[in-house]
Amino acid sequence: MYASSEDEVDVLLHGTPDQKRKLIRECLTGESESSSEDEFEKEMEAELNSTMKTMEDKLSSLGTGSSSGNGKVATAPTRYYDDIYFDSDSEDEDRAVQVTKKKKKKQHKIPTNDELLYDPEKDNRDQAWVDAQRRGYHGLGPQRSRQQQPVPNSDAVLNCPACMTTLCLDCQRHESYKTQYRAMFVMNCSINKEEVLRYKASENR
């Protein structure tokens, strides 16, 4: 007992801050810090393993695709870029590419959206959706040919300042007040007909 108390005094006088903290915790709680840390680490490790296993199962199910009736798993074929995709207009670079092609012809794999962590075609699909919405507003019908009448330009796209929800795709800017816009066709918005708002009467009038 004397030796242990002597060690404690030595730790308090000459020990590192970490050792002092550990000793104070043991004296106050009566349990060693290492045991509680080990239990906490084990619990965190188990939670991490379960989360990783769930993610791996999801990725494997997405990667393997649907299984066919004979028990074989259907996988998506690997796609590669065309050789023209990496051709350059520079003559020097073309010569260098031809030399490397003679040495070894390498195919470049097209990465999937999961590997890229984004969808390169998403912007085009969004633009097509906006164009289709605006064509419907103006009564132009769906776009079937490039020679069809284009949609008139919108001065702005109005969003809710609180939640950033899109409210209007077709707006007209005020001729005098450049910061004011008129919404031509409104979406994601409903009218509260039970409440009437009026301007306060101006004293100058």
Side-chain angles (χ1 to χ4, degrees):
M1 184 68 180
Y2 178 77
S4 63
S5 62
E6 192 177 41
D7 292 340
E8 291 173 1
V9 171
D10 188 48
V11 168
L12 288 173
L13 293 175
H14 307 292
T16 62
D18 196 29
Q19 290 174 335
K20 292 178 183 177
R21 181 177 59 84
K22 187 175 179 182
L23 178 63
I24 292 170
R25 181 183 175 91
E26 288 179 6
C27 292
L28 292 175
T29 61
E31 61 176 340
S32 66
E33 189 181 23
S34 60
S35 62
S36 62
E37 280 187 357
D38 288 344
E39 290 175 8
F40 178 75
E41 287 178 3
K42 287 177 183 176
E43 186 179 343
M44 291 295 102
E45 188 71 24
E47 186 176 341
L48 178 63
N49 289 337
S50 64
T51 305
M52 290 301 294
K53 189 175 187 318
T54 305
M55 295 298 292
E56 287 173 0
D57 292 342
K58 284 182 181 178
L59 287 174
S60 62
S61 63
L62 288 173
T64 54
S66 59
S67 58
S68 56
N70 57 3
K72 294 181 179 178
V73 178
T75 57
T78 305
R79 298 187 306 162
Y80 294 93
Y81 287 107
D82 292 335
D83 294 337
I84 301 172
Y85 185 84
F86 291 97
D87 282 352
S88 64
D89 295 334
S90 172
E91 293 180 1
D92 296 335
E93 290 183 10
D94 285 341
R95 289 172 188 166
V97 169
Q98 288 175 359
V99 171
T100 54
K101 277 184 178 179
K102 288 178 182 177
K103 292 180 179 178
K104 183 179 180 181
K105 189 174 182 179
K106 183 180 179 181
Q107 286 185 320
H108 297 275
K109 179 185 171 186
I110 299 177
T112 62
N113 292 346
D114 291 336
E115 293 170 343
L116 290 172
L117 302 179
Y118 77 101
D119 186 357
E121 297 299 323
K122 181 70 173 173
D123 287 340
N124 295 335
R125 287 198 298 270
D126 289 345
Q127 185 63 51
W129 180 85
V130 170
D131 291 343
Q133 293 289 318
R134 297 190 62 224
R135 294 186 76 80
Y137 295 152
H138 293 283
L140 298 174
Q143 186 176 6
R144 293 175 182 170
S145 64
R146 295 182 180 178
Q147 300 172 351
Q148 207 167 7
Q149 185 179 358
V151 181
N153 290 332
S154 173
D155 291 332
V157 174
L158 299 183
N159 295 332
C160 172
C163 64
M164 298 305 295
T165 301
T166 301
L167 298 177
C168 182
L169 300 172
D170 282 276
C171 304
Q172 284 183 348
R173 192 175 192 175
H174 198 284
E175 292 181 0
S176 304
Y177 305 105
K178 299 302 181 183
T179 58
Q180 293 184 11
Y181 294 85
R182 179 175 69 167
M184 301 293 293
F185 305 98
V186 181
M187 61 195 302
N188 301 322
C189 187
S190 59
I191 300 171
N192 184 6
K193 297 182 179 180
E194 297 178 358
E195 186 178 359
V196 179
L197 302 178
R198 291 187 174 88
Y199 286 105
K200 293 181 180 179
S202 177
E203 296 178 357
N204 296 333
R205 291 182 183 175

